Amino acid sequence: MKTKITVIPKFCILPLVIAALSVAGVAAAQDTPAGGSSSLSAKDKMFMKKAAKGGMMEVAMGKLADEKGQSDDVKSFGKRMVADHNKANDELKKIAAQKNAKLPTKEPTVSWSSDKAYMDAMVKDHEKDLAEFQEEAKSGSDPDVKKFADDTAKMVQEHLDLAKQTQSKLK
């Protein structure tokens, strides 16, 4: 009985070794959180903390506007703030978990004085937030945080436009 021996030429072994190491590297990279905490600069971390606090404030104020608002437009605006900012907050929490970053969790204490005061505050707040989100999208160092900031800036712009429109309807 003859045994057939297959000989692999030397020039074929190197690509096989490289391919095996590449697959092992990809598998190892999938086990670690994207970027770990090392990819976040102090500026990125500060932005994330401010965004989390602001998002929680928007949700709390939106709930109050929905409950206590006199105008249907204000109630509708409040509902939109709750829905949109809850979604953004969840996305930010997911990024923070991947990056091993801590976000504030303390619910803000909010109060209600009037529809006009709420809408005035929403215009002012969204103007400030828009500038901060655009700045992070432009000059942040972490690609995931930059993308979050860019995507969320578009939502904040919509909110600002709607807040101004709603504000103009109030006496």
Side-chain angles (χ1 to χ4, degrees):
M1 183 176 231
K2 269 187 165 179
T3 310
K4 186 175 179 183
I5 298 176
T6 306
V7 177
I8 300 173
K10 288 180 185 174
F11 66 87
C12 289
I13 301 224
L14 183 59
L16 290 173
V17 170
I18 291 171
L21 290 174
S22 296
V23 169
V26 167
Q30 289 176 342
D31 290 341
T32 58
S37 60
S38 62
S39 70
L40 290 178
S41 66
K43 185 175 177 260
D44 288 341
K45 288 178 186 175
M46 180 58 70
F47 167 79
M48 290 174 71
K49 286 179 181 175
K50 286 174 78 174
K53 283 179 82 170
M56 289 188 297
M57 178 64 77
E58 295 288 355
V59 169
M61 289 296 294
K63 286 178 181 176
L64 216 48
D66 184 30
E67 292 168 17
K68 298 188 179 214
Q70 300 297 305
S71 157
D72 287 341
D73 288 332
V74 169
K75 288 177 175 284
S76 175
F77 183 86
K79 283 181 182 153
R80 171 102 184 253
M81 293 304 98
V82 171
D84 288 357
H85 285 282
N86 268 332
K87 184 178 174 191
N89 292 349
D90 289 345
E91 180 65 26
L92 185 59
K93 286 176 194 170
K94 196 183 309 177
I95 293 169
Q98 291 170 348
K99 309 287 179 182
N100 298 319
K102 288 247 188 236
L103 296 178
T105 56
K106 186 174 182 275
E107 290 290 325
T109 304
V110 296
S111 61
W112 183 262
S113 59
S114 70
D115 286 5
K116 181 163 178 11
Y118 171 65
M119 292 315 304
D120 290 349
M122 289 297 96
V123 168
K124 186 176 177 184
D125 188 52
H126 282 85
E127 286 172 340
K128 177 182 71 66
D129 290 349
L130 181 60
E132 290 173 357
F133 276 80
Q134 288 173 332
E135 173 62 24
E136 178 66 20
K138 186 176 77 176
S139 65
S141 58
D142 182 85
D144 296 326
V145 178
K146 284 178 72 163
K147 182 178 178 343
F148 168 79
D150 188 49
D151 292 345
T152 307
K154 294 170 183 136
M155 176 191 78
V156 172
Q157 179 67 63
E158 289 176 17
H159 291 174
L160 176 57
D161 295 342
L162 184 58
K164 287 179 177 179
Q165 182 183 15
T166 305
Q167 181 189 44
S168 72
K169 294 178 183 178
L170 299 174
K171 300 290 182 242

